[in-house]
Amino acid sequence: MTEIDAKTDALVPAWLTLPDVAEELDVEVTRVRQLVKEGQLLAVRRGENRVLMVPAEFIGEGRIVKGLSGTLTLLRDDGFSDEEMLEWLFTPDDTLPGTPTQALRENRGTEVKRRAQALAV
């Protein structure tokens, strides 16, 4: 798990601890850790205590936002670090419009994945 810098941290509007994510998803914390390990969810270490946290926008309506796992896989395959993935997912893109995370939450995952694939070129 990566510890992120203040610039990237500031891009993310809200964070959840792993127990908070478990409660939102109605699963055990061990399952959340497994999702992170499998790359279906992105967690980074934050703050003085280096607590593992997940961007709150990755969770919606009791589940992981549709399209997030596939987008994370594409970005990892493109060689992105966890911090670079967060930066890309939370940086506004005028062509979307909004951030890739907002687009995923609005069920516009195809557009997000198309942009993620284009990064590899």
Side-chain angles (χ1 to χ4, degrees):
M1 305 308 138
T2 307
E3 186 166 349
I4 59 171
D5 68 20
K7 178 185 153 221
T8 304
D9 189 68
L11 288 172
V12 181
W15 294 89
L16 297 170
T17 63
L18 297 192
D20 291 338
V21 173
E23 190 173 315
E24 290 282 326
L25 298 177
D26 195 26
V27 297
E28 298 292 324
V29 174
T30 52
R31 177 64 184 136
V32 175
R33 289 185 188 283
Q34 188 65 33
L35 291 168
V36 171
K37 187 177 178 182
E38 292 169 355
Q40 295 182 47
L41 198 56
L42 180 61
V44 294
R45 297 202 176 273
R46 294 184 65 239
E48 287 181 25
N49 298 333
R50 298 183 28 84
V51 175
L52 265 179
M53 299 190 95
V54 172
E57 289 188 34
F58 287 176
I59 309 298
E61 299 175 12
R63 60 185 178 87
I64 297 172
V65 170
K66 182 180 174 189
L68 177 66
S69 299
T71 302
L72 292 175
T73 299
L74 284 170
L75 293 172
R76 266 193 202 92
D77 290 351
D78 290 345
F80 277 54
S81 68
D82 288 354
E83 187 167 354
E84 290 168 331
M85 286 190 278
L86 275 178
E87 190 172 329
W88 186 80
L89 285 162
F90 284 94
T91 298
D93 180 340
D94 292 337
T95 65
L96 270 173
T99 67
T101 301
Q102 287 169 325
L104 287 172
R105 290 182 65 87
E106 294 165 3
N107 205 21
R108 295 186 288 137
T110 304
E111 281 301 306
V112 173
K113 287 180 186 161
R114 193 173 292 138
R115 282 166 178 74
Q117 286 170 328
L119 296 171
V121 178

